[in-house]
Structure formats: structure tokens, C-alpha cells
Amino acid sequence: MAASTNSFLVGNQTQIPSLKPKPISQSFLHLTKPTTTTTRTKPVSIRCASTATVGSDPRVTNFAAGPAALPENVLLRAQSELYNWRGSGMSVMEMSHRGKEFLSIIQKAESDLRQLLQIPSEYSVLFLQGGATTQFAALPLNLCKPDDPVDYVVTGSWGDKAFKEAQKYCDPKVVWSGKAEKYTKVPSFDGFEQNPDAKYLHICANETIHGVEFKDYPVPKNPNGFLIADMSSNFCSKPVDVSKFGVIYAGAQKNVGPSGVTIVIIRKDLIGNARDVTPVMLDYKIHDENSSLYNTPPCFGIYMCGLVFDDLLAQGGLEEVEKKNQRKAKILYDAIDESRGFFRCPVEKSVRSLMNVPFTLEKPELEAEFIKEAAKEKMVQLKGHRSVGGMRASIYNAMPLAGVEKLVAFMKEFQARHA
Amino acid sequence: MAASTNSFLVGNQTQIPSLKPKPISQSFLHLTKPTTTTTRTKPVSIRCASTATVGSDPRVTNFAAGPAALPENVLLRAQSELYNWRGSGMSVMEMSHRGKEFLSIIQKAESDLRQLLQIPSEYSVLFLQGGATTQFAALPLNLCKPDDPVDYVVTGSWGDKAFKEAQKYCDPKVVWSGKAEKYTKVPSFDGFEQNPDAKYLHICANETIHGVEFKDYPVPKNPNGFLIADMSSNFCSKPVDVSKFGVIYAGAQKNVGPSGVTIVIIRKDLIGNARDVTPVMLDYKIHDENSSLYNTPPCFGIYMCGLVFDDLLAQGGLEEVEKKNQRKAKILYDAIDESRGFFRCPVEKSVRSLMNVPFTLEKPELEAEFIKEAAKEKMVQLKGHRSVGGMRASIYNAMPLAGVEKLVAFMKEFQARHA
């Protein structure tokens, strides 16, 4: 992103409130709305410079694991449309989910996602609620009977949670667990024994907490079985051959939108077998038949996902996005590996996540200082998950290269001072 | 709202995108971000007039049943904070749900809601996902055993859906149904037979589709039983004595926020009895123990609800809000009743909803014309629900009196032309 200068008008799409400075706790009832007349007849020209220098940005460099940073152009677009979406006279938050405006939004979101992931026509795309955690129950309730065996490969905390929830509804077995090695590995696919009768094989494609990512995918031993992947933390971060999976599911709040939207991509022939005790909102058939509009969906969240999908396509699609993610991850892992042990990443090199980079310090007593000093430099959310400690830099699609470069520069400078 | 003039600065809180006009379908990747430097050093003064004349508003008058109109000052506040929430350097959509910024948002939202509804300390407030429809299953899964009898008073489609979902999980009985009278009544409380052993008595406090609203609440016959109310479409539209209920639940998307947030107010002693087969995301105990942060909540939606709660308090609380709603409803129902039968509302006068006003025309063949002409006047979403036909004006908290006055004026003018 080179520095550039732009001038623009305060027009219809950008309504500005009159804000009088006051404590947050106070009411803001006195806010009044501008009329179009004014903004139409008195356009105001503002010149402003755009720059990639993160330091000059009013915003922080946000390494949060999710909810996480969103693309700035997406946020600015959402801001410009929030009060009056594209001349509709309504905010997206005010639209009937059955009106033509919102239908155009959800339909474009789905078709853009289908284009991004090259989703075959025999798969349905569902926009749901409740997070991946709700899917941990929905999967067995829809896809197997109480006594059916199913296999789980557990490479981190999320895979383990998915397994534990499945225990309520079927006969799941952990066919491989990385727990003894503190979740730093992915098994070789012939390194674990699948149940030949397992209805499905479940993996978590990227473990957000431990930074372990599948680079390829195992094939179910049962010829009638299928693979299920929780892709919450690496969804749309790279191309994926959807045809290898029976179900792909993901919470939106890492790579493609705000929290409150869960995307399920499911092979159509797997839909329609929910048990009688399945809550109607967990029945894939209900959502598929109603195009995700059985009840009121999380409309604004779906709209935000749609803006992100549009942005990912504009970047050249997931091949280009993956290249950017690989470059970002490489400079960070290189900085760790070339620190002569000052920084350490416990994850086996071949399966290190492009999205979540956990690392520790040779001198653990310096970790709090590292996080504190980084925050002073406006680099936030670098603390590791409470269950593993250390540091974690989540560098999802929306993290600019400049943000990672800033972190790496800080790491080297920190090491120079404390080595 | 009198016309007033305000001048204000484009400051830190209002980031403006550079928008070049182009087809929506095209990418907007070239959008660039303003730097604070510019907005700090080059404040732009804009004069604009605020007026209550709905006609001069760039926005429509939105009678949608939900998602529905939101208060304009809330939308403008959200717009001003979307790119950089109160100097945090992040959008609310980008914040870790465990960070201090979002914790301050959800905690203020809860405390403001507790103040609005005077919620006793022995009740928990949960911010969940999945809509009221998810609660239709969560209620029996958490509150009774498979063979427990429970009673449902069915005054419309939503109460009926709640009953049907409960059939999966316990032994529900419809103790009264208004179906034969097309859901136009609420029974007198001694007009139906409760099961003395019923674990709970369920009502839908306001039927969005049929416009039938409870003005008082029945008392469970079982001394150990409790009352449950779906208040989705009249939540926070008037004061409610929470202590009369075991559980109050509501989707946010009518009166208090965008879709994607479901609020559950539940007496603490009722929490902790979920069955083993309850999906973890439907277990009230899990959400209560984790202060609605067991997994990632719908953060932006909760933030929006918080802005609405703040606004309702600023209006003087629910007593004042109810007065406004009564006035709005009165002029609309009066216009119908004084039309000498040209307009008709089928609902029994004593239980007409303050929120959803269904009406028909003496000459049904004019209804399409009525809706079409109203839309030309920028009054939208007046079509009745597909299951009942006719018209419906939803006039939730955020509908200004001026909006209802505009509709009434149009109705009289329309009648004059077609009577």
C-alpha cells in the first residue's frame, strides 16, 4: 500500500452525528441527524492522506485471536453505509430479513463465498448462529445415530471440545491425540487407526490456541464415511478442495466477519437425517429448505461477511490471499527461529499455523514486559491463551504485512535490549 | 423534535471513507483510510439542520415487524464509533470478547437493562444467540423432565411454535388457543383450565403477527410452577414486573437491537437442571457461570443493544417509553375505528398490541394499492404477514410519533379518494 492522497465528499452515504464531548456513561440523546438536503447542497471537501505506516494510524495493530481485525476498507464501507444502506433509507440492521434489500445481501454473500472456495453445486451453504460450539452438537444430532461410531483426531483444545460434546449423542473415539506432546503436532495419516465403520472423521483444521494447522487432509477409512473439519480459524485463508469434505464449518469472527455468524458448508446428501430430539434450530434440513431464513438470521453479521468476501475476491481470490498469509507467517517464524533461542515456537515446523503463531521467551520472566512494551507501541492482544501462557500473534487475512513487520522489528529490538 | 441547527467537527470519532461512485457490484478495495493527523489538524465544520419532518428525511418510515427501525441517534452513534470505538483504535467488531473494552460494553448493557426493567438481583441476565426459536427448545431442556406436564396458552403463531417444539422434550398441553377465532383474543385468566402439576405456564406476551398483547399476566396454578413469557416483540416497550416470571426471553431485533442477540432473564434458582442431552450452548448454567462469555458472543449486537438501553434510560425509562407507545398506538387505532369500516382491525380492543397493528380494508382489492401508494410516500414494510394478509404497521419504540402521524394522514387521504 503506497501512500496516496484522496479527496472526497461528505455525501448521502456518510451521515455524521453532532457529537458533543462528554463522559461515555452519559446519554447521547441530543444527537441530531443531518438532512440529506444539507449534505446534498453543501458537500464538504476533505483532503486526507492514506499511508501504510502503521505507527501513524489512529488504530492499533490488533493480534487478537478472534474476534479479530477486519479489513479497514471493509470497516470504512460498513461505516459509510450504516445509517442509510445504498440509498435504501435504512440501515442493514433495520431491514426485514425477507425484504429484497437483505435478500440481495445474503444472496451475494453466498455466491461470492461459493466463488472464493469453488464450492461444488452439490453442497449447501448455511449462515447460522451459535458459533462452532453449537455445531459440536449439531453434527452428531444430524449425521449419526446414538450408537454410531465416529472418529475424532484431536490436535488441540477445540478438537477436544468437539469430541466431548459428541459424547452426548453418539459413540465418538479419539483416534489420535496430541495432548501428551502439548498439542504441537499433526499425526501422519497412517499414524493412527481409524474405525472402518466410523460414520465420519472429525478434525479441527487449525487449532487457534496451539497454532497447529493441517496442511493436507486425511481420508476416511470407511468408504461410506466422510471428513468433517472445523475451519473456524483458517476459513478462507487459503484455497480448500471442498469436495474432500462432507461438512466444513466455521465461526466468522477470525477471518471473514464479526462474531455471531457461523457458516456451514455441507454436502446435500447428508442433510435430512436429524434425530427427533434435535432442536429445530440445529436441524440442517430446516435451514437448507429455508435458505438460512427459517427465523431471523444475524443480518448485519452476514452483511459484514459479504463485504469481506467481496474484498477477498478483489484481492485476487484465495490463491493470492494465501501468498500474502505465507509471506506474513514466514517473516514471523523466521524471526523466532533466527533468535538463537531467545524466542521459541513449540509447534513442529511442518504444521505451524499461518494464522496463529504461539511463542515463548527463553526467559519467561520477560514475557510480561514484552507484552507491556508491545502495547506501548500499539500492538495489542499478544498474550497467549490463558491455558497455555506465553505469547500468541494471530495474523489473519486482515492483518497487513506492515503489522507483522512492525512486530518483528519490535521483537529484534526487544531481544537486543534483553539478550 | 423541533427543528434545530447544529455545527460540529469531524473528529477522531468520525472516520470518513473516500468513496468514489461506482456500481455496488464492483470491488471497493481502493477505499483508503483517513489518518487522525488529518482529521485532528484539519477539522471541518459542517452546519446541518435537524427536523422532525419525516418527508425530508433521506431515510424511509420503516414499519417492519423485525428486524425493525432503530433510534436514529443510536445508529449515528454506532456509525461514528464503528471504525475506532472511543479511542480504542478498534471497531467493536474487532475486539476480543475477553478484553477490557468489550467487558465494559457488555457489563454496562446488562446494568442498564437491569435498571430499565428493575430486574431483581435473584435473576440472571443472559445475552445469547439463535433467536427465541432456540429458546423454544432450551426451555423444556433446562426446566423440566421428559414426562413433566407443562401448559401453553396459545394466542398466536409464536406461542404455537413454542408449544410444538416443546412436544419433543416434555408433555406440553395447550390450555387455551385463540386459533378458532383467528388469534384475535387473550383469554380471561379464569377462562382456561391449568394443570395443577404443570412445571411451568408459557405465554407469548405479544404476538407479532396477530397483534395480540397480554395487558396483565396469568398466575400459574401450581404453587411450585412459574410463568414463562416470550417478550420478543414487546420487550422494553413498557414496565414489567419481572418478579412475576420465572423466565422472560426476547429476540432483540424488534425493540432493542439488531437480529442475532437473544436476551434471557431467568430466576437463578431455575438454573442448573439441564438434561444430559442438552447441547452445551442451550444450557443456561453454562452461560450463567460464564457471564454469557462461554464462547464468543454476538459482540456487535450486544453493543447495539447497549446503545439502545442507554437511549431508553435517557428518554426517562420505560414509564416514559410506554406513554409514547400508547400515544402512537392510540392515534393509529383511532384512525382505524373512526374510518366507518373502511379500515378494520380484527383484534379485540382490550388486547390490541401497542407494537404491531394489523388492519384490513373493507375493499380487499384496494390493499395492494394502499401498500404501493404508501411505499411511494416512503412508508415501507406495511404488508401483513404472508400467513394473515392485509396490512400491519409495526410501531416499536424507535418509530417516532411523526412516523405514525404520517401514516394516519395518508390513511385518511387514501380513504377520501377511495371511499
Side-chain angles (χ1 to χ4, degrees):
Chain A
M1 210 166 36
S4 66
T5 306
N6 314 281
S7 98
F8 55 84
L9 302 181
V10 175
N12 252 352
Q13 284 193 302
T14 309
Q15 303 288 346
I16 305 170
S18 102
L19 279 170
K20 294 171 190 160
K22 57 181 165 40
I24 287 162
S25 64
Q26 281 183 34
S27 132
F28 43 83
L29 188 68
H30 65 280
L31 279 174
T32 51
K33 65 178 190 298
T35 64
T36 0
T37 323
T38 313
T39 47
R40 275 210 193 102
T41 57
K42 298 183 181 176
V44 181
S45 176
I46 305 172
R47 298 190 69 74
C48 66
S50 159
T51 162
T53 313
V54 179
S56 75
D57 197 315
R59 302 190 355 119
V60 294
T61 305
N62 182 0
F63 293 96
L70 287 164
E72 293 192 331
N73 63 64
V74 164
L75 288 173
L76 292 167
R77 175 69 169 232
Q79 181 176 49
S80 72
E81 298 180 337
L82 188 134
Y83 182 76
N84 182 357
W85 182 80
R86 302 176 192 181
S88 66
M90 291 179 276
S91 172
V92 171
M93 288 182 267
E94 303 176 294
M95 293 175 179
S96 165
H97 55 296
R98 306 196 186 280
K100 65 182 191 309
E101 295 88 355
F102 182 72
L103 290 180
S104 74
I105 288 171
I106 191 171
Q107 286 160 5
K108 181 180 191 307
E110 178 178 341
S111 72
D112 284 355
L113 177 59
R114 284 184 174 276
Q115 189 182 340
L116 276 171
L117 282 168
Q118 297 291 303
I119 300 173
S121 57
E122 59 265 32
Y123 285 74
S124 289
V125 174
L126 309 176
F127 293 95
L128 308 178
Q129 299 185 58
T133 306
T134 299
Q135 297 309 310
F136 295 166
L139 293 166
L141 280 168
N142 282 270
L143 303 173
C144 62
K145 300 187 179 53
D147 51 3
D148 280 339
V150 295
D151 289 347
Y152 282 72
V153 176
V154 177
T155 54
S157 301
W158 290 106
D160 186 54
K161 282 189 174 181
F163 162 73
K164 290 194 165 80
E165 183 77 348
Q167 287 180 308
K168 295 177 183 171
Y169 308 107
C170 57
D171 182 20
K173 187 183 169 205
V174 175
V175 291
W176 187 89
S177 171
K179 189 170 188 180
E181 294 159 297
K182 295 185 174 172
Y183 296 128
T184 53
K185 293 184 169 56
V186 168
S188 67
F189 299 155
D190 51 13
F192 57 91
E193 190 71 34
Q194 292 188 48
N195 182 332
D197 300 321
K199 207 73 192 290
Y200 62 73
L201 174 63
H202 183 283
I203 64 170
C204 177
N206 184 76
E207 285 284 353
T208 319
I209 293 173
H210 301 91
V212 175
E213 182 171 22
F214 280 77
K215 304 301 178 179
D216 191 8
Y217 305 101
V219 176
K221 188 170 182 180
N222 178 353
N224 300 319
F226 51 91
L227 182 62
I228 300 178
D230 174 357
M231 291 194 182
S232 293
S233 52
N234 66 350
F235 190 64
C236 288
S237 67
K238 59 185 179 183
V240 167
D241 180 355
V242 173
S243 69
K244 288 183 174 176
F245 301 84
V247 184
I248 291 171
Y249 64 103
Q253 70 274 14
K254 282 92 161 58
N255 267 316
V256 300
S259 59
V261 181
T262 311
I263 294 165
V264 173
I265 301 169
I266 179 168
R267 226 175 59 208
K268 288 181 172 157
D269 64 292
L270 300 175
I271 297 173
N273 306 310
R275 297 179 208 172
D276 298 343
V277 298
T278 308
V280 65
M281 286 297 289
L282 270 62
D283 185 340
Y284 295 136
K285 184 163 186 277
I286 292 289
H287 296 296
D288 184 44
E289 288 177 342
N290 291 277
S291 305
S292 303
L293 299 173
Y294 174 68
N295 74 336
T296 316
C299 299
F300 190 78
I302 292 167
Y303 155 75
M304 289 299 300
C305 291
L307 294 186
V308 172
F309 297 150
D310 186 301
D311 176 55
L312 294 174
L313 286 171
Q315 289 184 48
L318 299 186
E319 291 76 6
E320 292 307 310
V321 169
E322 180 180 33
K323 284 180 200 158
K324 293 179 187 177
N325 287 330
Q326 285 169 331
R327 184 166 171 211
K328 282 151 48 185
K330 185 177 189 309
I331 67 169
L332 183 48
Y333 284 117
D334 284 351
I336 292 167
D337 295 338
E338 294 162 4
S339 71
R340 300 181 309 281
F342 186 83
F343 297 104
R344 301 169 174 202
C345 174
V347 182
E348 189 175 85
K349 287 190 178 182
S350 64
V351 295
R352 285 176 171 178
S353 170
L354 294 188
M355 300 284 100
N356 310 97
V357 181
F359 58 98
T360 57
L361 281 176
E362 184 178 20
K363 303 170 186 160
E365 65 273 18
L366 287 177
E367 290 177 352
E369 181 64 17
F370 178 90
I371 290 160
K372 199 172 126 204
E373 289 187 22
K376 278 195 199 135
E377 300 296 323
K378 295 175 72 177
M379 291 180 285
V380 303
Q381 296 294 330
L382 280 164
K383 201 166 191 299
H385 188 273
R386 57 197 184 286
S387 65
V388 296
M391 278 78 67
R392 172 178 52 177
S394 294
I395 51 175
Y396 297 116
N397 290 351
M399 170 61 63
L401 177 63
V404 181
E405 288 171 339
K406 181 184 178 186
L407 174 61
V408 166
F410 170 76
M411 288 167 70
K412 292 181 173 168
E413 181 270 339
F414 184 90
Q415 177 173 3
R417 278 189 288 114
H418 296 91
Chain B
M1 207 163 45
S4 65
T5 305
N6 313 281
S7 102
F8 54 84
L9 301 181
V10 175
N12 254 351
Q13 282 195 303
T14 308
Q15 303 288 347
I16 306 169
S18 103
L19 280 170
K20 295 171 189 163
K22 59 183 161 38
I24 287 162
S25 64
Q26 283 182 34
S27 133
F28 44 85
L29 188 68
H30 65 280
L31 278 173
T32 51
K33 63 179 191 299
T35 63
T36 6
T37 322
T38 313
T39 47
R40 276 207 194 105
T41 58
K42 298 184 182 177
V44 181
S45 177
I46 304 172
R47 297 190 68 75
C48 65
S50 159
T51 162
T53 312
V54 180
S56 75
D57 198 316
R59 302 189 356 118
V60 296
T61 304
N62 183 359
F63 293 96
L70 287 164
E72 292 191 332
N73 63 60
V74 165
L75 288 173
L76 293 168
R77 175 68 167 232
Q79 181 176 47
S80 73
E81 298 180 337
L82 189 134
Y83 181 75
N84 183 356
W85 182 79
R86 301 177 191 178
S88 66
M90 292 178 276
S91 172
V92 171
M93 287 183 267
E94 302 177 294
M95 292 174 180
S96 165
H97 55 296
R98 305 195 188 281
K100 64 181 192 308
E101 295 88 356
F102 182 71
L103 290 180
S104 74
I105 288 171
I106 192 171
Q107 286 161 3
K108 182 180 190 307
E110 177 177 341
S111 72
D112 284 354
L113 178 58
R114 284 185 174 276
Q115 188 182 339
L116 275 171
L117 281 168
Q118 297 292 305
I119 301 173
S121 57
E122 59 267 30
Y123 285 74
S124 289
V125 174
L126 309 176
F127 293 96
L128 308 178
Q129 298 185 58
T133 306
T134 298
Q135 297 308 309
F136 295 165
L139 293 166
L141 281 168
N142 280 271
L143 304 173
C144 63
K145 300 187 178 51
D147 51 4
D148 280 340
V150 296
D151 288 347
Y152 281 73
V153 176
V154 176
T155 53
S157 301
W158 290 105
D160 186 53
K161 282 190 173 182
F163 162 74
K164 289 193 165 80
E165 183 76 348
Q167 287 179 307
K168 295 177 183 171
Y169 308 107
C170 58
D171 182 20
K173 185 183 171 203
V174 174
V175 292
W176 188 89
S177 171
K179 189 170 187 179
E181 294 158 297
K182 295 185 173 173
Y183 296 127
T184 55
K185 292 185 167 55
V186 167
S188 68
F189 299 155
D190 51 14
F192 57 90
E193 190 71 32
Q194 293 187 48
N195 181 332
D197 300 322
K199 208 71 193 292
Y200 62 73
L201 174 63
H202 183 283
I203 64 169
C204 178
N206 184 75
E207 285 284 354
T208 319
I209 294 173
H210 302 91
V212 176
E213 182 172 23
F214 280 77
K215 305 300 180 179
D216 191 8
Y217 306 101
V219 176
K221 189 168 180 182
N222 177 355
N224 300 318
F226 50 91
L227 183 62
I228 300 178
D230 174 356
M231 292 193 181
S232 293
S233 51
N234 67 349
F235 189 64
C236 288
S237 67
K238 59 185 178 183
V240 167
D241 180 355
V242 173
S243 69
K244 288 183 173 176
F245 301 84
V247 185
I248 290 171
Y249 63 103
Q253 70 274 13
K254 281 88 160 65
N255 267 316
V256 299
S259 59
V261 180
T262 311
I263 294 166
V264 173
I265 301 170
I266 179 168
R267 226 175 59 207
K268 288 182 169 150
D269 64 291
L270 300 175
I271 298 172
N273 306 310
R275 297 179 207 173
D276 298 343
V277 297
T278 307
V280 64
M281 285 298 289
L282 270 63
D283 185 340
Y284 295 136
K285 184 162 185 273
I286 293 288
H287 295 296
D288 185 45
E289 288 177 343
N290 292 278
S291 305
S292 302
L293 299 172
Y294 173 70
N295 73 338
T296 316
C299 299
F300 190 77
I302 291 168
Y303 156 74
M304 288 300 301
C305 291
L307 295 185
V308 171
F309 297 149
D310 185 301
D311 176 56
L312 294 174
L313 285 170
Q315 289 184 48
L318 298 187
E319 291 77 5
E320 292 308 310
V321 168
E322 180 180 33
K323 283 181 201 157
K324 293 179 187 177
N325 287 330
Q326 285 169 330
R327 184 166 170 210
K328 282 150 50 183
K330 184 177 191 310
I331 66 169
L332 182 48
Y333 283 116
D334 284 352
I336 292 167
D337 295 339
E338 294 162 5
S339 71
R340 300 180 310 283
F342 186 83
F343 296 104
R344 300 168 175 205
C345 173
V347 182
E348 188 175 85
K349 287 189 178 183
S350 64
V351 295
R352 286 176 170 178
S353 170
L354 294 188
M355 301 284 102
N356 311 98
V357 181
F359 57 98
T360 56
L361 282 177
E362 183 178 19
K363 304 171 186 164
E365 65 274 17
L366 287 178
E367 290 177 353
E369 180 64 19
F370 179 90
I371 290 160
K372 198 172 125 203
E373 289 186 21
K376 281 196 197 132
E377 301 296 323
K378 295 175 71 177
M379 292 180 285
V380 302
Q381 296 295 331
L382 280 164
K383 201 168 190 300
H385 188 273
R386 56 198 185 287
S387 65
V388 296
M391 278 78 68
R392 173 179 51 177
S394 294
I395 50 175
Y396 297 116
N397 289 351
M399 171 62 63
L401 177 62
V404 181
E405 288 170 339
K406 182 183 177 185
L407 173 61
V408 166
F410 171 75
M411 288 166 70
K412 292 182 172 167
E413 182 271 338
F414 184 89
Q415 176 172 3
R417 276 189 290 115
H418 295 90

